[in-house]
Amino acid sequence: WSSDVCSSDLDTIEKIYYDYVQIQDWVNNISFQMFKDRWRPDYIVGLTRGGLIPAVMMSHALDIPMHALKVSLRDDADTESNCWMAEDAFGYISATSIPRPKGEPTSDSNLRKNILIIDDINDTGATLDWIIQDWQGSNLPNDPAWADVWGNNVRFAVLIDNLSSKFSRKVDYCATTINKAERDVWIVYPWER
């Protein structure tokens, strides 16, 4: 539960329940949006916990590999920094793998992987911003090449996008939107029952 919502508040807050049929429709919708963009990920990253089921569904439907990434800012504050995914996104060229003269680029846009990061909801934006800060912070954070990575090679998808989120970017793909500033609701997914 969110740190600002205690269990007694959940008894009175409006809840919206979704089933697996709706989730599958949303996953198909996001897949269709990517198809229209002519963009295909090399792999899908499902965020624990809510993004794992949509990621698996999309992975099977599109026959694209899937990986999990643990980002848990509210439940137990235990997150998983993942340098190899950041290196894939950045197209990092290691000095040990490809010798290069001093001052030569540390990334190659031809080596960048297309990565779709998917979660159930962009609620506050904190989870998605944490990934940007972690990946960029672990891999030459001041390199201007990062500006080209976000939205091009690395894209964010959510089933539900909260329009009042403070996410520093706009999600690339969403199936539906809500605005919790106007209507505070608690979303209940089928895997949470």
Side-chain angles (χ1 to χ4, degrees):
W1 294 320
S2 173
S3 59
D4 58 345
V5 176
C6 67
S7 60
S8 63
D9 291 340
L10 286 177
D11 294 334
T12 59
I13 195 168
E14 179 186 358
K15 296 175 189 160
I16 301 175
Y17 293 85
Y18 292 103
D19 61 22
Y20 280 104
V21 172
Q22 182 65 63
I23 303 305
Q24 185 64 61
D25 286 346
W26 286 346
V27 167
N28 293 343
N29 179 301
I30 291 168
S31 299
F32 183 70
Q33 290 175 51
M34 290 188 311
F35 176 76
K36 281 180 32 179
D37 280 352
R38 297 175 190 242
W39 188 82
R40 181 177 172 89
D42 294 300
Y43 58 88
I44 298 165
V45 176
L47 300 183
T48 60
R49 293 181 309 183
L52 292 178
I53 291 173
V56 168
M57 292 170 122
M58 185 174 288
S59 173
H60 283 295
L62 301 178
D63 196 26
I64 296 174
M66 185 226 132
H67 300 284
L69 181 63
K70 183 177 184 185
V71 181
S72 181
L73 302 180
R74 69 170 190 221
D75 293 333
D76 56 15
D78 184 20
T79 57
E80 172 188 30
S81 187
N82 196 301
C83 289
W84 70 266
M85 288 181 189
E87 289 177 359
D88 278 354
F90 187 69
Y92 181 71
I93 303 171
S94 147
T96 57
S97 64
I98 302 174
R100 63 181 186 279
K102 188 174 175 117
E104 286 295 311
T106 53
S107 74
D108 181 346
S109 60
N110 294 319
L111 297 176
R112 291 182 186 155
K113 302 270 189 206
N114 285 344
I115 304 169
L116 180 71
I117 299 171
I118 190 165
D119 205 0
D120 55 354
I121 187 170
N122 170 27
D123 198 2
T124 66
T127 298
L128 304 182
D129 275 332
W130 186 90
I131 293 168
I132 289 173
Q133 292 165 6
D134 181 61
W135 285 19
Q136 193 164 332
S138 69
N139 200 341
L140 303 166
N142 299 318
D143 193 306
W146 276 109
D148 190 50
V149 170
W150 306 113
N152 290 317
N153 299 91
V154 177
R155 296 187 181 182
F156 293 93
V158 293
L159 301 178
I160 300 174
D161 189 19
N162 177 13
L163 298 176
S164 61
S165 162
K166 304 293 186 228
F167 183 37
S168 62
R169 298 183 36 79
K170 185 178 182 311
V171 295
D172 300 284
Y173 305 108
C174 74
T176 192
T177 61
I178 60 171
N179 188 335
K180 287 190 167 189
E182 294 176 0
R183 181 179 172 210
D184 192 20
V185 296
W186 190 263
I187 306 298
V188 183
Y189 295 96
W191 51 85
E192 296 175 328
R193 291 184 207 146

